[in-house]
Amino acid sequence: MESRIGKFWLGAGYVFLYLPILTLIVFSFNDSKMVTLWGGFTFKWYGVIAHDTEVVDGFLLSLKVALMTASASVCLGMLAAFAMVRYKSFFGRTAFSAHINAPLVVPEVITGLSLLLFFVLCQRLFGMPERGVFTIWAGHTSVGMAYAAVVIQSRLLEMDKSLEEAAMDLGCRPFQVFYLVTFPMIAQALMSAWLLTFTISLDDVVATAFLSGPGSTTLPIVILSRARLGLNPTVNAIATITVAVVAVGVLAGSLWLNRQERKRAAEQAAAYREGTLALAS
Amino acid sequence: MANSPASAAAKVDDSRFVRIDRLTKRFDEVAAVDDVSLDIEKGEIFALLGSSGCGKSTLLRMLAGFETPSVGSIYLEGNDIAKMPPYERPINMMFQSYALFPHLTVWENIAFGLKRDNMPTDQIAERVETMLNIVKLKPYAKRKPHQLSGGQQQRVALARCLAKSPKLLLLDEPLGALDRKLREQTQFELHNIIKKVGVTCVLVTHDQEEAMTMADRIAVMSEGRFKQVGKPNEIYETPSCRFVADFIGNVNMFGGTLEVDQPDHCVIDTMHGKFYLDHGITGTQDMPVSVAVRPEKINLQRDPPADPQYNCLRGEIADSGYFGSFSLYRMNLASGMKLQIQITHTERHGELFQRGETVFATCAPDSLVALTT
Ligand SMILES: Nc1ncnc2c1ncn2[C@@H]1O[C@H](COP(=O)(O)OP(=O)(O)OP(=O)(O)O)[C@@H](O)[C@H]1O
Ligand SMILES: [Mg+2]
């Protein structure tokens, strides 16, 4: 009885989460200008967006910004994480820690607005930077860095410190310790941090709206401005492509991780069995 | 020429392979290692034994180079290495967690240190092969650490340390991560390998059995200081202070005062009875002295001994446990103290004592130790 109620609520949750997306996908194949009326099946909206320069340019810009943001965020986030984990006492550590985490809790509107004011001021004083790719990138990175730092920090904390000591003991100079031992150990966390900041940057609207200039419209801004002019099947098509890409990426990623995990567990169990057998004999 | 002072001095330094001189390490004003001096000979296995938090890991880590001493020096073959970074010291350490690199295979783990020395590839292969043979892990060369059992991981860690032919091998709780059954077996294997390789070794442990069976000499540590340094039997049979007597093995201790003190004997008066020891202690009349006796050095008998004045305690058996090769008894003395006694069964039908029986516990004058500190 209880389980049936549970299943009902679970189902309701799924419907609430996924029905809108499903509707969007279905209507991207709708052969009618009217978004709410089904007029037959078609691929034509996909053809339309392929020749829509605004959409294609927006997509390419988004991609460019996301790539730059993810890379910069991981680099800076890694440095911040190292500082936090490895140095337990330095002047201003608490303030530093708060600064790292602040972008996670400060509303994005505030972040965007303050950055805009800052850049406007800079431009008045120094004549640069022009609002555009650079300012968007800087804004996204200030948020992305915080996420990256959190992800990398947790990996560093759980890493056995004696691994690095062992490397040093065996003759590694500090830099060798990093690239021979620490880097391989945290590579997976760096990868997840990169993917996380990539997706955050890719679909960011709020900060981007403040920071983009006339010639620099990212895809989410394009979608938003079009949706505001009235619902439009091309928007559905763009969104469907995005959903498909993300779904495939996430699915492949988690399947791969799952398989690694299972393989590892099996190997560990085998080693343990072997060990007990050897002991018994 | 050969007898000139300079060469004589150099010779003295060489005989002390490792010399630790007044070493102190403070963490926030608390001394984890406190003014410790020690010489270790070449080829020796030396154990640092002590309870948790007594500073033994800190001392080991100073030898490895992971902690810099607050005061003092460490000499290896006469050179002060206290300020040398770990990667330049000819010393290798095996970590309690083994610290095997999880992304490398067994082979690569063992070769790791050799590659850092820019050893030619063919020599590396040869050396790794040798090490794999020593620790009997040849079939496992291509495995990753997580595919090995605990005992195998420990052997990889050992091989990785020994591969670089260190002058000094450091082991931090080498058997600590293994389960009990595996421990005893591994203990002897480890000892054999170290002796076969002939490397000088300092090991840290809180397990006295491990220290006794593995080490040539032991330092008993407490609160950052050495309480006693000596061979395992010296530490067990002639403890220098109450702490060591109590820490190593089981002991019965009686507090009393010095009554007679002669070069060849002394008498100590306690509330439980008088004790006659076959050695003198250089002390003053009536100074407080404790008498220590190990449970297995006590005899039990039902009839009062011929001379009950000294070394004889009357009491009642409170508990008894039969262990096959020996029995353990606990005896209530009139003073309220509980005495532990271990009787080895050398005869098949030797006598056993029952709970509630009144018995006399006696011990020989040479089995007692007088402790003044
Ligand atoms: N990095 C450090 N910072 C501050 N205090 C430390 C540090 N390392 C050790 N200590 C302190 O020094 C003392 C000795 O520590 P140590 O690790 O040497 O003990 P141990 O004998 O190895 O104990 P265990 O058997 O638990 O490993 C402890 O009180 C510990 O809290
Ligand atoms: Mg320790």
Side-chain angles (χ1 to χ4, degrees):
Chain A
M1 189 63 200
E2 228 170 69
S3 85
R4 210 176 289 168
I5 293 176
K7 273 186 190 142
F8 169 77
W9 282 112
L10 186 69
Y14 275 131
V15 167
F16 180 72
L17 281 175
Y18 291 113
L19 191 63
I21 297 178
L22 208 66
T23 320
L24 181 145
I25 294 172
V26 169
F27 275 93
S28 75
F29 299 106
N30 185 11
D31 193 5
S32 155
K33 265 245 179 268
M34 300 297 294
V35 187
T36 44
L37 273 182
W38 185 253
F41 185 87
T42 180
F43 276 120
K44 78 172 174 201
W45 304 118
Y46 290 87
V48 170
I49 56 169
H51 295 100
D52 186 332
T53 47
E54 196 188 21
V55 170
V56 174
D57 287 352
F59 173 72
L60 290 178
L61 181 70
S62 280
L63 206 61
K64 184 171 154 191
V65 169
L67 284 172
M68 284 162 56
T69 301
S71 307
S73 297
V74 168
C75 289
L76 294 174
M78 185 171 77
L79 294 178
F82 264 98
M84 287 305 296
V85 175
R86 290 298 149 79
Y87 301 95
K88 288 299 173 200
S89 63
F90 57 85
F91 178 73
R93 186 176 184 274
T94 318
F96 182 69
S97 156
H99 279 126
I100 291 180
N101 293 319
L104 301 181
V105 287
V106 172
E108 224 185 324
V109 182
I110 309 285
T111 314
L113 186 63
S114 57
L115 277 167
L116 175 63
L117 288 176
F118 173 73
F119 285 133
V120 167
L121 190 71
C122 278
Q123 200 174 7
R124 189 149 352 118
L125 291 177
F126 310 113
M128 59 178 264
E130 205 63 49
R131 262 191 286 157
V133 178
F134 175 78
T135 51
I136 300 174
W137 176 51
H140 285 192
T141 302
S142 74
V143 178
M145 187 190 99
Y147 282 95
V150 169
V151 171
I152 298 166
Q153 205 174 330
S154 68
R155 177 71 187 104
L156 277 178
L157 278 174
E158 73 183 25
M159 182 180 154
D160 184 2
K161 213 180 133 215
S162 54
L163 284 176
E164 290 178 334
E165 287 179 341
M168 210 182 277
D169 188 67
L170 292 166
C172 283
R173 266 132 231 286
F175 184 65
Q176 289 178 313
V177 173
F178 178 77
Y179 76 79
L180 288 172
V181 175
T182 318
F183 184 76
M185 292 290 95
I186 62 170
Q188 209 169 0
L190 295 181
M191 198 62 214
S192 357
W194 196 91
L195 286 173
L196 180 67
T197 46
F198 182 84
T199 49
I200 288 173
S201 165
L202 198 63
D203 73 353
D204 181 82
V205 176
V206 183
T208 315
F210 283 100
L211 299 169
S212 61
S216 57
T217 323
T218 62
L219 189 60
I221 302 277
V222 174
I223 296 177
L224 193 68
S225 54
R226 286 201 184 176
R228 247 188 308 200
L229 292 179
L231 290 174
N232 177 326
T234 57
V235 174
N236 289 350
I238 300 167
T240 301
I241 291 173
T242 316
V243 168
V245 168
V246 169
V248 168
V250 168
L251 208 67
S254 58
L255 278 181
W256 183 76
L257 274 182
N258 245 335
R259 240 191 57 186
Q260 292 292 99
E261 203 58 42
R262 270 210 306 275
K263 194 170 143 215
R264 206 185 147 82
E267 285 174 350
Q268 232 155 14
Y272 181 77
R273 268 201 310 277
E274 225 170 87
T276 36
L277 279 183
L279 197 64
S281 68
Chain B
M1 201 51 204
N3 288 333
S4 75
S7 72
K11 220 173 178 184
V12 169
D13 262 356
D14 275 353
S15 75
R16 299 188 223 170
F17 186 66
V18 178
R19 203 175 126 221
I20 296 169
D21 191 23
R22 313 209 62 176
L23 209 57
T24 298
K25 175 68 186 181
R26 284 188 214 99
F27 292 112
D28 310 319
E29 296 312 305
V30 180
V33 172
D34 193 2
D35 197 23
V36 158
S37 295
L38 175 70
D39 290 345
I40 298 170
E41 275 169 43
K42 198 169 174 144
E44 189 175 28
I45 301 183
F46 191 92
L48 299 171
L49 176 62
S51 48
S52 187
C54 70
K56 44 197 193 312
S57 291
T58 306
L59 179 53
L60 200 73
R61 290 169 58 79
M62 281 195 278
L63 289 173
F66 301 127
E67 308 280 0
T68 24
S70 310
V71 186
S73 352
I74 303 167
Y75 298 94
L76 181 67
E77 293 184 314
N79 306 313
D80 189 353
I81 57 165
K83 300 257 152 41
M84 204 186 258
Y87 45 86
E88 283 174 7
R89 298 187 186 198
I91 294 175
N92 286 115
M93 173 157 164
M94 188 172 113
F95 291 79
Q96 181 169 4
S97 61
Y98 306 143
L100 297 176
F101 303 125
H103 59 297
L104 302 179
T105 62
V106 168
W107 198 96
E108 289 163 333
N109 262 286
I110 299 176
F112 189 90
L114 302 171
K115 284 185 187 160
R116 304 288 84 73
D117 290 347
N118 296 320
M119 194 188 247
T121 324
D122 50 334
Q123 280 181 37
I124 291 182
E126 208 174 293
R127 183 80 187 139
V128 173
E129 203 78 352
T130 315
M131 295 323 299
L132 283 170
N133 282 331
I134 288 179
V135 296
K136 306 201 185 81
L137 281 176
K138 197 130 177 237
Y140 302 91
K142 290 206 175 64
R143 295 219 188 165
K144 294 273 180 72
H146 72 267
Q147 294 170 282
L148 300 176
S149 69
Q152 292 167 338
Q153 289 180 13
Q154 192 245 19
R155 269 140 62 200
V156 177
L158 181 66
R160 191 177 67 176
C161 289
L162 290 174
K164 292 192 75 169
S165 316
K167 290 187 172 155
L168 183 61
L169 174 70
L170 308 174
L171 307 175
D172 192 356
E173 303 269 2
L175 307 173
L178 300 179
D179 48 42
R180 191 147 187 88
K181 203 172 160 196
L182 197 55
R183 234 185 234 201
E184 285 167 20
Q185 187 189 333
T186 314
Q187 199 162 297
F188 292 108
E189 254 172 50
L190 184 60
H191 181 264
N192 289 342
I193 291 175
I194 295 170
K195 281 295 176 193
K196 195 160 101 189
V197 175
V199 65
T200 313
C201 171
V202 177
L203 76 99
V204 154
T205 177
H206 64 265
D207 184 304
Q208 44 164 306
E209 242 172 76
E210 197 176 305
M212 296 269 198
T213 48
M214 300 243 329
D216 300 319
R217 274 197 308 152
I218 298 173
V220 181
M221 276 186 89
S222 169
E223 294 178 348
R225 287 170 176 273
F226 286 170
K227 289 293 183 180
Q228 187 174 4
V229 179
K231 299 204 170 78
N233 63 326
E234 287 170 3
I235 293 210
Y236 186 76
E237 300 295 0
T238 49
S240 65
C241 60
R242 293 186 189 100
F243 178 86
V244 175
D246 201 32
F247 188 77
I248 308 284
N250 291 321
V251 75
N252 298 295
M253 210 138 18
F254 310 95
T257 54
L258 189 59
E259 196 178 272
V260 180
D261 187 19
Q262 297 291 321
D264 66 334
H265 74 272
C266 66
V267 175
I268 293 159
D269 188 19
T270 73
M271 62 182 290
H272 319 280
K274 290 192 182 195
F275 290 94
Y276 180 97
L277 281 69
D278 73 341
H279 59 272
I281 54 172
T282 41
T284 51
Q285 183 88 30
D286 291 332
M287 74 182 279
V289 179
S290 292
V291 177
V293 59
R294 300 282 181 199
E296 75 277 8
K297 305 244 168 22
I298 300 178
N299 299 310
L300 281 183
Q301 57 193 67
R302 293 203 171 87
D303 309 316
D307 176 18
Q309 191 188 355
Y310 296 122
N311 302 355
C312 173
L313 300 162
R314 186 169 181 275
E316 194 175 273
I317 301 282
D319 283 310
S320 69
Y322 180 76
F323 288 82
S325 61
F326 63 91
S327 287
L328 286 181
Y329 296 103
R330 284 206 295 170
M331 188 175 145
N332 280 331
L333 301 182
S335 57
M337 183 177 161
K338 269 205 165 68
L339 199 65
Q340 301 179 55
I341 301 141
Q342 179 180 338
I343 304 289
T344 306
H345 300 148
T346 48
E347 295 166 33
R348 270 186 71 200
H349 303 290
E351 56 183 351
L352 296 171
F353 300 91
Q354 304 306 322
R355 175 196 270 196
E357 259 186 280
T358 299
V359 289
F360 294 88
T362 60
C363 38
D366 67 352
S367 64
L368 300 168
V369 182
L371 300 169
T372 53
T373 53

